[in-house]
Amino acid sequence: MHACVVDWDETTAEQLKTLSEAGIRTVKMFTTYAGETMANEHTILNTMQATRDLGGMVVIHCESDAIVTDAQNVAAASDGVDAAHMSQTRPELAETASVAAILAIAESQEAPVYFVHQSTPAAVELVVDARKRGLVAFTESVAHHLILDDSAYEGEQPERFVCCPPLRSAQVVEELGRHLFTGAITTIGSDHCCYDTAQKQVHSHDVRHMPNGLPGVETRLPVMFSHYVDGLGLTPSRFVELTSANPARTNGLYPRKGSLMPGSDADIAIWDPKREWTVTTETLHMATDYTPYEGQRLRGKPVTVLVRGEVVVHEGLLVDATARGRHLEAAPLDFGGAFSM
């Protein structure tokens, strides 16, 4: 669970203190979506300063709103801003420019920072360079940026693939994927956003007004395992680190989560690395009418899932519907030698 700061005022610091005392230590921020969730640089700096002192961290979506707005205006005057031209409306430079600016603010405050869904190797490498200078900085990438590419916008339903940042070229995807092996990427998320086709089609003629995001929480592990572990030789231990251990570490939940050590919660996915299956919407459980991986043949799948030692899913069926959700208080974030990347 993240807080979200859009505008800084005289009450914000106290609100963040109250949240941290309740175990909510991360604050999600945006450098785009002006008039909605975008925060200016003064607000970001103040929030980084406050969260640093509270044992917390800013978690940030980076795209330069000025560059995005200009690219959208140029597209509207030429090829259009429909879903088929999504990649033209949010260029790679918008991401790298924003990441560079936020890294500078974080360095000025000696504050940790976590970049969500980075979609280009250049953005990832900026974070790597900052880490070499001593800054505590993390990169999350997501399954769809590591597997899908912008050719999806050439299909019959391009609106289904509209997300921010957009899908990049096949070459960029390949180069980004290499950083799973170099250690530059800290975590793999889903950026799950479960709109259905009808919701996306309402404004498919203008991506400035349509809902962004792809459904991916259920497919995150299988598609990554199949493509990168089974397909490209990523080690299973690195796969677990990226998808489980490091997310727990960077969010103050380790070793209670993301670990199989004595005393940890027994949240376990028992994996069949040789199970071959085809992704279809009908066999998934997300609240939408499509998956961006429709028809993909995968190898590797979780067959049994335990929550705190109790089997809740087996062979695709929910076998125990007992409500187990609870608020877990994140510990103060201390990254001094906690884990290497």
Side-chain angles (χ1 to χ4, degrees):
M1 182 176 289
H2 305 299
C4 186
V5 175
V6 178
D7 293 304
W8 186 274
D9 63 29
E10 66 277 5
T11 71
T12 308
E14 188 61 30
Q15 290 182 59
L16 291 174
K17 182 174 182 293
T18 300
L19 287 165
S20 70
E21 290 170 350
I24 300 170
R25 300 185 182 276
T26 46
V27 179
K28 180 75 179 288
M29 305 190 80
F30 298 81
T31 64
T32 188
Y33 308 130
E36 299 175 20
T37 54
M38 177 180 165
N40 63 37
E41 291 188 353
H42 295 287
T43 293
I44 293 168
L45 186 149
N46 289 337
T47 304
M48 283 186 170
Q49 187 179 75
T51 54
R52 176 202 66 198
D53 295 342
L54 293 167
M57 178 170 62
V58 164
V59 174
I60 193 159
H61 173 131
C62 277
E63 290 179 282
S64 165
D65 198 69
I67 294 176
V68 167
T69 299
D70 179 66
Q72 290 174 338
N73 290 340
V74 170
S78 55
D79 296 331
V81 287
D82 58 303
H85 296 96
M86 176 64 188
S87 58
Q88 298 174 26
T89 67
R90 304 186 88 90
E92 294 177 36
L93 182 60
E95 185 174 348
T96 52
S98 182
V99 169
I102 296 306
L103 283 169
I105 293 173
E107 288 190 80
S108 78
Q109 300 305 304
E110 297 183 353
V113 60
Y114 181 116
F115 294 91
V116 297
H117 38 67
Q118 292 199 299
S119 70
T120 71
V124 173
E125 288 154 13
L126 285 171
V127 179
V128 171
D129 289 342
R131 284 206 293 265
K132 291 177 180 177
R133 297 193 298 271
L135 183 67
V136 176
F138 305 106
T139 282
E140 172 207 86
S141 194
V142 296
H144 53 263
H145 285 138
L146 289 159
I147 293 173
L148 305 175
D149 63 59
D150 61 5
S151 64
Y153 298 127
E154 300 170 6
E156 293 182 359
Q157 294 180 299
E159 65 277 356
R160 286 182 165 184
F161 297 89
V162 168
C163 56
C164 295
L167 301 179
R168 305 299 189 186
S169 70
Q171 179 181 349
V172 168
V173 173
E174 181 180 356
E175 292 173 357
L176 180 67
R178 291 197 187 110
H179 282 309
L180 296 174
F181 298 84
T182 66
I185 293 173
T186 315
T187 63
I188 297 171
S190 69
D191 199 27
H192 177 69
C193 207
C194 214
Y195 296 106
D196 61 28
T197 304
Q199 289 172 303
K200 283 179 162 285
Q201 286 178 337
V202 172
H203 293 290
S204 61
H205 63 287
D206 192 336
V207 297
R208 295 171 295 184
H209 303 292
M210 73 175 295
N212 297 290
L214 304 184
V217 69
E218 186 176 1
T219 48
R220 177 181 70 113
L221 296 179
V223 297
M224 290 303 303
F225 185 92
S226 185
H227 282 260
Y228 282 96
V229 180
D230 186 71
L232 295 173
L234 187 73
T235 66
S237 59
R238 176 67 172 148
F239 170 72
V240 172
E241 180 182 63
L242 286 160
T243 60
S244 181
N246 282 356
R249 287 168 170 143
T250 52
N251 284 278
L253 298 174
Y254 190 87
R256 182 172 185 175
K257 304 294 185 183
S259 170
L260 294 178
M261 295 296 291
S264 300
D265 287 350
D267 296 343
I268 302 168
I270 299 175
W271 200 268
D272 182 351
K274 299 186 183 303
R275 178 73 61 93
E276 294 188 12
W277 60 291
T278 300
V279 182
T280 63
T281 302
E282 291 74 18
T283 56
L284 297 176
H285 304 83
M286 297 178 291
T288 185
D289 64 341
Y290 81 100
T291 169
Y293 308 103
E294 184 74 38
Q296 287 199 16
R297 187 71 177 168
L298 302 182
R299 185 177 171 92
K301 189 176 187 180
V303 293
T304 304
V305 179
L306 295 85
V307 175
R308 297 197 296 279
E310 300 292 331
V311 174
V312 296
V313 173
H314 183 64
E315 290 293 349
L317 298 176
L318 181 67
V319 298
D320 185 347
T322 303
R324 288 184 169 82
R326 57 183 175 171
H327 171 54
L328 301 179
E329 294 188 10
L333 303 179
D334 180 7
F335 300 115
F339 66 103
S340 60
M341 294 166 291

